[in-house]
Amino acid sequence: MRIERHFTKAGLTAYDSIAFKKVDVGMKNPDGSTVFQMDAVEVPAGALVIAADTTVVVDGAILGKPLDRSDARRLLTTIAGRTHTVYTGVALVLDGTEAVDVATSEVTIAALDGPTIDAYIATGEPLDKAGAYGIQGRAGAFVAELRGSYSGVMGLPLYETAQLLRAHLLQCLLPPASAPQMTAMCAAI
């Protein structure tokens, strides 16, 4: 699959998606579904690649995406009524220049009873999210406290991404003769 959209502003071109190839790795998930690996292919020269991933940790255990509805219930029961840590890493790459950062947030989920958890799972929303919840969706109502980055918990820490762009990559995007343009671009991020 290859999807590209070009955005040009102040002489910059970015891609919102890069080509990926879905590869069967010859393994099965516990639910019997096929394990796939996504291999990046043919990143165009000059393409800015931004990638992020989120991990939920409680008591030193990583809570990934639920395998099924039963696992979603287990994960939600684990985080209900307590605080957990959300780590979201972001990486930017442009023509071999790489910059990375991690946003760390503490999220407290209110106590949740069984019927509330079951009703949330029935929406399907938690089934593709680390820790089995999405703060930007219905589960936002379960968040009693957030210390850190809301956008990081959602999956792309905007502050850290902008800081990486300012510190590491904008000088690669604009020629040296356009210093005033660079200053204006940095201020806009």
Side-chain angles (χ1 to χ4, degrees), residues 3-23:
I3 303 169
E4 291 181 345
R5 284 196 323 209
H6 303 275
F7 298 93
T8 303
K9 180 177 180 182
L12 301 178
T13 302
Y15 294 80
D16 69 332
S17 184
I18 302 300
F20 287 94
K21 177 174 58 175
K22 192 173 178 179
V23 178

PDB file of all heavy atoms in Angstrom, residues 3-23:
ATOM      1  N   ILE A   3       0.475   5.461   0.152  1.00  0.00           N
ATOM      2  CA  ILE A   3      -0.377   6.647   0.224  1.00  0.00           C
ATOM      3  C   ILE A   3       0.537   7.838   0.445  1.00  0.00           C
ATOM      4  O   ILE A   3       1.325   7.846   1.372  1.00  0.00           O
ATOM      5  CB  ILE A   3      -1.367   6.550   1.400  1.00  0.00           C
ATOM      6  CG1 ILE A   3      -2.216   5.289   1.266  1.00  0.00           C
ATOM      7  CG2 ILE A   3      -2.249   7.787   1.461  1.00  0.00           C
ATOM      8  CD1 ILE A   3      -3.018   4.976   2.498  1.00  0.00           C
ATOM      9  N   GLU A   4       0.439   8.808  -0.415  1.00  0.00           N
ATOM     10  CA  GLU A   4       1.243  10.017  -0.254  1.00  0.00           C
ATOM     11  C   GLU A   4       0.351  11.233  -0.419  1.00  0.00           C
ATOM     12  O   GLU A   4      -0.530  11.259  -1.262  1.00  0.00           O
ATOM     13  CB  GLU A   4       2.323  10.115  -1.328  1.00  0.00           C
ATOM     14  CG  GLU A   4       3.412   9.109  -1.216  1.00  0.00           C
ATOM     15  CD  GLU A   4       4.432   9.318  -2.322  1.00  0.00           C
ATOM     16  OE1 GLU A   4       4.140  10.032  -3.303  1.00  0.00           O
ATOM     17  OE2 GLU A   4       5.501   8.763  -2.194  1.00  0.00           O
ATOM     18  N   ARG A   5       0.577  12.200   0.398  1.00  0.00           N
ATOM     19  CA  ARG A   5      -0.011  13.523   0.203  1.00  0.00           C
ATOM     20  C   ARG A   5       1.105  14.509   0.436  1.00  0.00           C
ATOM     21  O   ARG A   5       1.885  14.368   1.363  1.00  0.00           O
ATOM     22  CB  ARG A   5      -1.140  13.785   1.200  1.00  0.00           C
ATOM     23  CG  ARG A   5      -2.410  13.049   0.841  1.00  0.00           C
ATOM     24  CD  ARG A   5      -3.595  13.598   1.570  1.00  0.00           C
ATOM     25  NE  ARG A   5      -3.266  13.994   2.920  1.00  0.00           N
ATOM     26  CZ  ARG A   5      -4.124  13.977   3.910  1.00  0.00           C
ATOM     27  NH1 ARG A   5      -5.328  13.565   3.726  1.00  0.00           N
ATOM     28  NH2 ARG A   5      -3.771  14.376   5.111  1.00  0.00           N
ATOM     29  N   HIS A   6       1.200  15.469  -0.415  1.00  0.00           N
ATOM     30  CA  HIS A   6       2.264  16.459  -0.302  1.00  0.00           C
ATOM     31  C   HIS A   6       1.677  17.759   0.251  1.00  0.00           C
ATOM     32  O   HIS A   6       0.650  18.224  -0.186  1.00  0.00           O
ATOM     33  CB  HIS A   6       2.891  16.730  -1.670  1.00  0.00           C
ATOM     34  CG  HIS A   6       3.423  15.493  -2.310  1.00  0.00           C
ATOM     35  ND1 HIS A   6       4.678  15.015  -2.046  1.00  0.00           N
ATOM     36  CD2 HIS A   6       2.864  14.628  -3.178  1.00  0.00           C
ATOM     37  CE1 HIS A   6       4.874  13.919  -2.735  1.00  0.00           C
ATOM     38  NE2 HIS A   6       3.789  13.655  -3.428  1.00  0.00           N
ATOM     39  N   PHE A   7       2.353  18.300   1.218  1.00  0.00           N
ATOM     40  CA  PHE A   7       1.971  19.586   1.773  1.00  0.00           C
ATOM     41  C   PHE A   7       3.156  20.515   1.577  1.00  0.00           C
ATOM     42  O   PHE A   7       4.261  20.192   1.989  1.00  0.00           O
ATOM     43  CB  PHE A   7       1.661  19.469   3.261  1.00  0.00           C
ATOM     44  CG  PHE A   7       0.509  18.566   3.556  1.00  0.00           C
ATOM     45  CD1 PHE A   7       0.715  17.230   3.839  1.00  0.00           C
ATOM     46  CD2 PHE A   7      -0.788  19.041   3.518  1.00  0.00           C
ATOM     47  CE1 PHE A   7      -0.342  16.387   4.100  1.00  0.00           C
ATOM     48  CE2 PHE A   7      -1.842  18.209   3.784  1.00  0.00           C
ATOM     49  CZ  PHE A   7      -1.632  16.883   4.074  1.00  0.00           C
ATOM     50  N   THR A   8       2.944  21.632   0.945  1.00  0.00           N
ATOM     51  CA  THR A   8       4.036  22.567   0.736  1.00  0.00           C
ATOM     52  C   THR A   8       3.691  23.879   1.415  1.00  0.00           C
ATOM     53  O   THR A   8       2.661  24.465   1.156  1.00  0.00           O
ATOM     54  CB  THR A   8       4.280  22.806  -0.766  1.00  0.00           C
ATOM     55  OG1 THR A   8       4.535  21.543  -1.366  1.00  0.00           O
ATOM     56  CG2 THR A   8       5.470  23.719  -0.975  1.00  0.00           C
ATOM     57  N   LYS A   9       4.564  24.281   2.306  1.00  0.00           N
ATOM     58  CA  LYS A   9       4.390  25.541   3.026  1.00  0.00           C
ATOM     59  C   LYS A   9       5.796  26.075   3.266  1.00  0.00           C
ATOM     60  O   LYS A   9       6.627  25.371   3.820  1.00  0.00           O
ATOM     61  CB  LYS A   9       3.670  25.304   4.348  1.00  0.00           C
ATOM     62  CG  LYS A   9       3.452  26.567   5.149  1.00  0.00           C
ATOM     63  CD  LYS A   9       2.666  26.267   6.413  1.00  0.00           C
ATOM     64  CE  LYS A   9       2.457  27.535   7.182  1.00  0.00           C
ATOM     65  NZ  LYS A   9       1.738  27.300   8.427  1.00  0.00           N
ATOM     66  N   ALA A  10       6.042  27.260   2.857  1.00  0.00           N
ATOM     67  CA  ALA A  10       7.358  27.879   3.025  1.00  0.00           C
ATOM     68  C   ALA A  10       8.459  27.003   2.439  1.00  0.00           C
ATOM     69  O   ALA A  10       9.539  26.881   2.986  1.00  0.00           O
ATOM     70  CB  ALA A  10       7.623  28.169   4.504  1.00  0.00           C
ATOM     71  N   GLY A  11       8.156  26.343   1.327  1.00  0.00           N
ATOM     72  CA  GLY A  11       9.171  25.545   0.657  1.00  0.00           C
ATOM     73  C   GLY A  11       9.404  24.168   1.240  1.00  0.00           C
ATOM     74  O   GLY A  11      10.313  23.469   0.845  1.00  0.00           O
ATOM     75  N   LEU A  12       8.587  23.732   2.213  1.00  0.00           N
ATOM     76  CA  LEU A  12       8.768  22.432   2.840  1.00  0.00           C
ATOM     77  C   LEU A  12       7.798  21.425   2.230  1.00  0.00           C
ATOM     78  O   LEU A  12       6.655  21.737   1.953  1.00  0.00           O
ATOM     79  CB  LEU A  12       8.484  22.506   4.338  1.00  0.00           C
ATOM     80  CG  LEU A  12       9.331  23.477   5.136  1.00  0.00           C
ATOM     81  CD1 LEU A  12       8.894  23.456   6.586  1.00  0.00           C
ATOM     82  CD2 LEU A  12      10.790  23.110   5.017  1.00  0.00           C
ATOM     83  N   THR A  13       8.261  20.227   2.032  1.00  0.00           N
ATOM     84  CA  THR A  13       7.397  19.147   1.577  1.00  0.00           C
ATOM     85  C   THR A  13       7.472  18.037   2.608  1.00  0.00           C
ATOM     86  O   THR A  13       8.552  17.637   3.011  1.00  0.00           O
ATOM     87  CB  THR A  13       7.850  18.597   0.205  1.00  0.00           C
ATOM     88  OG1 THR A  13       7.843  19.669  -0.728  1.00  0.00           O
ATOM     89  CG2 THR A  13       6.921  17.499  -0.274  1.00  0.00           C
ATOM     90  N   ALA A  14       6.327  17.545   3.061  1.00  0.00           N
ATOM     91  CA  ALA A  14       6.279  16.448   4.022  1.00  0.00           C
ATOM     92  C   ALA A  14       5.341  15.377   3.494  1.00  0.00           C
ATOM     93  O   ALA A  14       4.452  15.661   2.700  1.00  0.00           O
ATOM     94  CB  ALA A  14       5.789  16.950   5.378  1.00  0.00           C
ATOM     95  N   TYR A  15       5.556  14.174   3.917  1.00  0.00           N
ATOM     96  CA  TYR A  15       4.693  13.054   3.560  1.00  0.00           C
ATOM     97  C   TYR A  15       3.966  12.629   4.820  1.00  0.00           C
ATOM     98  O   TYR A  15       4.587  12.453   5.857  1.00  0.00           O
ATOM     99  CB  TYR A  15       5.522  11.877   3.049  1.00  0.00           C
ATOM    100  CG  TYR A  15       6.218  12.168   1.748  1.00  0.00           C
ATOM    101  CD1 TYR A  15       7.404  12.898   1.726  1.00  0.00           C
ATOM    102  CD2 TYR A  15       5.687  11.730   0.551  1.00  0.00           C
ATOM    103  CE1 TYR A  15       8.045  13.169   0.536  1.00  0.00           C
ATOM    104  CE2 TYR A  15       6.336  11.993  -0.647  1.00  0.00           C
ATOM    105  CZ  TYR A  15       7.511  12.710  -0.642  1.00  0.00           C
ATOM    106  OH  TYR A  15       8.143  12.969  -1.827  1.00  0.00           O
ATOM    107  N   ASP A  16       2.650  12.425   4.719  1.00  0.00           N
ATOM    108  CA  ASP A  16       1.938  11.977   5.906  1.00  0.00           C
ATOM    109  C   ASP A  16       1.908  10.455   5.988  1.00  0.00           C
ATOM    110  O   ASP A  16       1.478   9.895   6.970  1.00  0.00           O
ATOM    111  CB  ASP A  16       0.527  12.551   5.988  1.00  0.00           C
ATOM    112  CG  ASP A  16      -0.404  11.993   4.929  1.00  0.00           C
ATOM    113  OD1 ASP A  16       0.081  11.614   3.871  1.00  0.00           O
ATOM    114  OD2 ASP A  16      -1.610  11.953   5.176  1.00  0.00           O
ATOM    115  N   SER A  17       2.368   9.759   4.977  1.00  0.00           N
ATOM    116  CA  SER A  17       2.468   8.315   5.031  1.00  0.00           C
ATOM    117  C   SER A  17       3.576   7.860   4.086  1.00  0.00           C
ATOM    118  O   SER A  17       3.753   8.424   3.027  1.00  0.00           O
ATOM    119  CB  SER A  17       1.144   7.662   4.638  1.00  0.00           C
ATOM    120  OG  SER A  17       1.216   6.274   4.788  1.00  0.00           O
ATOM    121  N   ILE A  18       4.283   6.862   4.491  1.00  0.00           N
ATOM    122  CA  ILE A  18       5.365   6.308   3.697  1.00  0.00           C
ATOM    123  C   ILE A  18       4.905   4.936   3.214  1.00  0.00           C
ATOM    124  O   ILE A  18       3.974   4.358   3.743  1.00  0.00           O
ATOM    125  CB  ILE A  18       6.644   6.193   4.569  1.00  0.00           C
ATOM    126  CG1 ILE A  18       7.030   7.560   5.133  1.00  0.00           C
ATOM    127  CG2 ILE A  18       7.799   5.591   3.797  1.00  0.00           C
ATOM    128  CD1 ILE A  18       7.318   8.617   4.096  1.00  0.00           C
ATOM    129  N   ALA A  19       5.558   4.405   2.222  1.00  0.00           N
ATOM    130  CA  ALA A  19       5.191   3.092   1.699  1.00  0.00           C
ATOM    131  C   ALA A  19       5.524   2.012   2.717  1.00  0.00           C
ATOM    132  O   ALA A  19       6.592   2.023   3.314  1.00  0.00           O
ATOM    133  CB  ALA A  19       5.949   2.840   0.400  1.00  0.00           C
ATOM    134  N   PHE A  20       4.605   1.095   2.921  1.00  0.00           N
ATOM    135  CA  PHE A  20       4.835  -0.036   3.801  1.00  0.00           C
ATOM    136  C   PHE A  20       4.439  -1.322   3.098  1.00  0.00           C
ATOM    137  O   PHE A  20       3.519  -1.343   2.293  1.00  0.00           O
ATOM    138  CB  PHE A  20       4.028   0.091   5.101  1.00  0.00           C
ATOM    139  CG  PHE A  20       4.571   1.130   6.023  1.00  0.00           C
ATOM    140  CD1 PHE A  20       4.074   2.415   5.999  1.00  0.00           C
ATOM    141  CD2 PHE A  20       5.592   0.828   6.900  1.00  0.00           C
ATOM    142  CE1 PHE A  20       4.581   3.391   6.837  1.00  0.00           C
ATOM    143  CE2 PHE A  20       6.105   1.792   7.740  1.00  0.00           C
ATOM    144  CZ  PHE A  20       5.595   3.069   7.710  1.00  0.00           C
ATOM    145  N   LYS A  21       5.145  -2.372   3.421  1.00  0.00           N
ATOM    146  CA  LYS A  21       4.860  -3.676   2.863  1.00  0.00           C
ATOM    147  C   LYS A  21       4.498  -4.596   4.034  1.00  0.00           C
ATOM    148  O   LYS A  21       5.255  -4.713   4.998  1.00  0.00           O
ATOM    149  CB  LYS A  21       6.093  -4.193   2.127  1.00  0.00           C
ATOM    150  CG  LYS A  21       5.962  -5.582   1.558  1.00  0.00           C
ATOM    151  CD  LYS A  21       7.173  -5.958   0.721  1.00  0.00           C
ATOM    152  CE  LYS A  21       8.444  -5.872   1.511  1.00  0.00           C
ATOM    153  NZ  LYS A  21       9.632  -6.336   0.812  1.00  0.00           N
ATOM    154  N   LYS A  22       3.335  -5.240   3.952  1.00  0.00           N
ATOM    155  CA  LYS A  22       2.875  -6.147   4.996  1.00  0.00           C
ATOM    156  C   LYS A  22       3.465  -7.531   4.709  1.00  0.00           C
ATOM    157  O   LYS A  22       3.236  -8.100   3.656  1.00  0.00           O
ATOM    158  CB  LYS A  22       1.346  -6.182   4.962  1.00  0.00           C
ATOM    159  CG  LYS A  22       0.693  -6.825   6.123  1.00  0.00           C
ATOM    160  CD  LYS A  22      -0.812  -6.598   5.989  1.00  0.00           C
ATOM    161  CE  LYS A  22      -1.574  -7.254   7.089  1.00  0.00           C
ATOM    162  NZ  LYS A  22      -3.007  -7.024   6.978  1.00  0.00           N
ATOM    163  N   VAL A  23       4.247  -8.066   5.664  1.00  0.00           N
ATOM    164  CA  VAL A  23       4.948  -9.323   5.469  1.00  0.00           C
ATOM    165  C   VAL A  23       4.493 -10.339   6.519  1.00  0.00           C
ATOM    166  O   VAL A  23       4.569 -10.078   7.720  1.00  0.00           O
ATOM    167  CB  VAL A  23       6.481  -9.122   5.580  1.00  0.00           C
ATOM    168  CG1 VAL A  23       7.213 -10.439   5.416  1.00  0.00           C
ATOM    169  CG2 VAL A  23       6.961  -8.093   4.573  1.00  0.00           C
TER     170      VAL A  23
END
